[in-house]
Amino acid sequence: MPSHVSADRPAAQPPGRGSVEALISQTRRLKGDVNAVRRDTQNSGSDPEERWQRALYDLALHQLNDLDEHLAQLRDGPAHPPPGVETAPARHPAPASGSLLSRVGSAEWNLLTDEASWSGELYRILGHDPAAPALTLDELPALVLDEDRPRLTAMVTACLVDAKPIDGEFRVLRPDGNVRTVHMMGEPVLDGDGSTASMWAVLRDVSELRRSQRTVRETRDTMQRHHRRAETEQRLAVEFQEAVLPPGRGALRPPRRGPGTLDVAARCLPSGAGGLLGGDWYDALELSDGDTLLSVGDLTGHGVAVASGMTMLLGAVRGMAMAGTQPGQLMSLLNQLLDATVQPALGSAVCCRYRPATRTLTWAQAGHPAPLLFRGGTGCALSAPEGVLLGVTSGAGYGQAEVPLEPGDLLLLHTDGVVPGHSGADSLGALLGLAPRFGAARTAQDCVRAVVEEFGESEREDEACLLVAKVGE
């Protein structure tokens, strides 16, 4: 087979799964053929040429087993890859392709004359001076790492004493300081009375193969650890969210009822494909003076740290609203809070304070989509007061707006991503297009259900929150 590639020949493309399956089938058929021929040589005599051929069959089977394993890894890929984590490249490049014999040497030790004979390639593998005499079996352990010497001794002893074949690995320290892993296979050669007269062996340098296998194993283990950590973070983030957000299904009804009070419902819409939980929130809370707090927001990022930051912001919103802080000032204080945190973060939010006695909505926003107001079968976005993203700049000012509401009015607050694949004007137009359905809805929960039916519950790339408040008669 030629070792070069024509300059005008297109580069090979990575095989698809079907191609890999075909290669695996071919490899396994070839293994069966080689093994059948190998069995036919089992009863061959002790001629050196026949022993060499038998050893090459054994080595070919080892190579085919390695190829089978690597093709299976290529087909299956690393186990459980986490959202956002890529496979690490090998730290050691694979050796250039070469013939099987380029990494294989042979040796024979005559026990009667104590002579040793090595092939030239074995000298190169072990880093031994070709002009020096080959090492005897007693001298060979001097090249082997201390922790591997017992293994070599046991293999050689079993071969010489019990006539067992040798098949094992050990590491050698070459004179240049490099450590190489050597796979040794051999057999005893018996004389006429059944005594061991000599021992022959084939030694293969498998250092790069073992290093590659080790790299694959370490990479797989690392990815599995990342996967387990991501699963843990996701579980903690969900627990944070469930602990602080109001129930995500059904109506959120403030305990006090009367003219002008709100019928409120909300839903947290998860991301598809098991994406990590982000920092979206919604809230509806009756305050001590009878007002109702409505808020939605989003802290950038994903994972447990972001979910923890979200709980901090939501707690701050509730606490300041309970203390009577108006929405504009509340946004300024939230911005200071994010600016003072150890982990810098950006966030957007809308905070509304609704007074039932006057049916008045006072609200502020920080870089967030404005609430949508639906009335009489049509809808529009409220004109937004001044407000930049939370955490962008210290000392930012936030405006405040006041809107009179009427019985039957419906407010829709949401975070980005409610309409999958759309943002900005496109998302706004899609939501406003639901005005006729909202006009026919009896409750806030019916409106939430209409949004979910129209845009789905889990097809979006990122999670989103939706809150609907309907003004009572």
Side-chain angles (χ1 to χ4, degrees):
M1 177 178 291
S3 59
H4 66 278
V5 178
S6 173
D8 59 355
R9 190 174 182 178
Q13 298 299 315
R17 185 181 180 91
S19 301
V20 175
E21 290 283 3
L23 288 173
I24 291 174
S25 297
Q26 293 173 15
T27 300
R28 291 176 179 173
R29 284 197 300 270
L30 183 57
K31 283 167 59 179
D33 294 340
V34 172
N35 199 35
V37 177
R38 174 180 172 276
R39 283 196 300 268
D40 292 339
T41 67
Q42 289 291 81
N43 298 323
S44 300
S46 58
D47 180 78
E49 181 64 25
E50 292 175 341
R51 294 203 307 267
W52 178 250
Q53 290 179 357
R54 191 161 63 248
L56 287 182
Y57 285 129
D58 289 337
L59 286 168
L61 283 174
H62 275 281
Q63 292 279 57
L64 289 169
N65 284 332
D66 292 336
L67 179 60
D68 191 3
E69 176 184 344
H70 287 306
L71 287 173
Q73 292 171 346
L74 181 62
R75 177 196 62 195
D76 299 335
H80 307 296
V85 179
E86 298 179 355
T87 303
R91 289 173 294 178
H92 303 277
S97 298
S99 71
L100 179 65
L101 299 183
S102 66
R103 289 175 288 153
V104 177
S106 63
E108 184 161 0
W109 290 274
N110 190 312
L111 303 183
L112 302 179
T113 63
D114 202 27
E115 293 178 339
S117 175
W118 287 7
S119 69
E121 184 58 33
L122 183 57
Y123 277 95
R124 286 188 286 273
I125 290 173
L126 301 180
H128 205 56
D129 183 0
L135 300 182
T136 66
L137 283 178
D138 291 335
E139 295 169 333
L140 184 63
L143 297 178
V144 180
L145 295 185
D146 292 346
E147 53 267 38
D148 291 357
R149 285 177 189 166
R151 185 182 311 129
L152 174 63
T153 300
M155 289 192 299
V156 172
T157 300
C159 180
L160 299 181
V161 176
D162 300 324
K164 292 183 177 180
I166 288 178
D167 189 350
E169 293 182 7
F170 52 87
R171 292 166 297 167
V172 298
L173 177 62
R174 292 160 43 114
D176 59 9
N178 287 328
V179 175
R180 309 299 292 178
T181 301
V182 176
H183 182 207
M184 182 176 181
M185 293 188 301
E187 292 180 356
V189 179
L190 306 181
D191 59 17
D193 62 2
S195 301
T196 302
S198 64
M199 187 187 85
W200 67 270
V202 173
L203 294 94
R204 174 186 173 205
D205 185 349
V206 295
S207 304
E208 301 302 332
L209 175 61
R210 298 299 174 250
R211 186 179 293 122
S212 174
Q213 290 173 334
R214 191 163 55 249
T215 299
V216 170
R217 184 171 60 252
E218 290 171 354
T219 302
R220 183 173 59 245
D221 291 345
T222 298
M223 294 183 70
Q224 288 175 341
R225 287 195 297 272
H226 277 296
H227 179 69
R228 287 193 294 269
R229 183 164 62 245
E231 286 182 330
T232 300
E233 287 194 357
Q234 178 74 342
R235 187 182 69 253
L236 290 174
V238 170
E239 290 174 356
F240 270 129
Q241 188 185 71
E242 292 177 345
V244 298
L245 295 188
R249 295 177 182 272
L252 310 177
R253 299 184 183 277
R256 299 180 185 177
R257 307 300 299 164
T261 55
L262 296 177
D263 171 25
V264 184
R267 182 75 62 88
C268 184
L269 304 172
S271 61
L276 288 176
L277 198 66
D280 291 52
W281 86 79
Y282 63 88
D283 198 22
L285 180 68
E286 186 172 25
L287 305 175
S288 57
D289 60 1
D291 289 359
T292 299
L293 168 72
L294 303 174
S295 71
V296 296
D298 180 13
L299 194 63
T300 57
H302 298 85
V304 66
V306 172
S308 176
M310 178 270 290
T311 63
M312 175 192 69
L313 284 184
L314 184 53
V317 169
R318 289 171 173 172
M320 288 187 285
M322 278 291 187
T325 306
Q326 293 299 303
Q329 179 63 15
L330 191 151
M331 288 296 177
S332 297
L333 294 174
L334 279 184
N335 185 62
Q336 293 180 31
L337 178 62
L338 270 188
D339 187 53
T341 56
V342 176
Q343 296 290 339
L346 297 177
S348 67
V350 164
C351 182
C352 305
R353 193 179 184 105
Y354 173 72
R355 176 151 295 182
T358 59
R359 294 192 177 94
T360 302
L361 183 78
T362 304
W363 72 285
Q365 63 85 29
H368 199 89
L372 306 184
L373 173 62
F374 295 85
R375 177 184 294 167
T378 62
C380 66
L382 297 181
S383 298
E386 178 186 6
V388 298
L389 284 170
L390 300 171
V392 168
T393 180
S394 301
Y398 293 86
Q400 185 171 285
E402 191 171 283
V403 180
L405 300 180
E406 299 177 3
D409 281 354
L410 186 139
L411 287 169
L412 188 152
L413 284 66
H414 65 93
T415 60
D416 286 330
V418 168
V419 182
H422 295 79
S423 60
D426 290 341
S427 176
L428 175 62
L431 289 171
L432 292 178
L434 294 177
R437 293 187 65 177
F438 289 166
R442 294 176 53 253
T443 66
Q445 181 60 27
D446 290 339
C447 296
V448 169
R449 190 176 299 111
V451 174
V452 173
E453 290 173 354
E454 183 72 20
F455 304 118
E457 187 169 11
S458 60
E459 294 84 1
R460 52 198 43 80
E461 293 182 3
D462 206 351
E463 67 174 342
C465 288
L466 171 70
L467 186 149
V468 174
K470 186 177 179 66
V471 181
E473 300 294 337

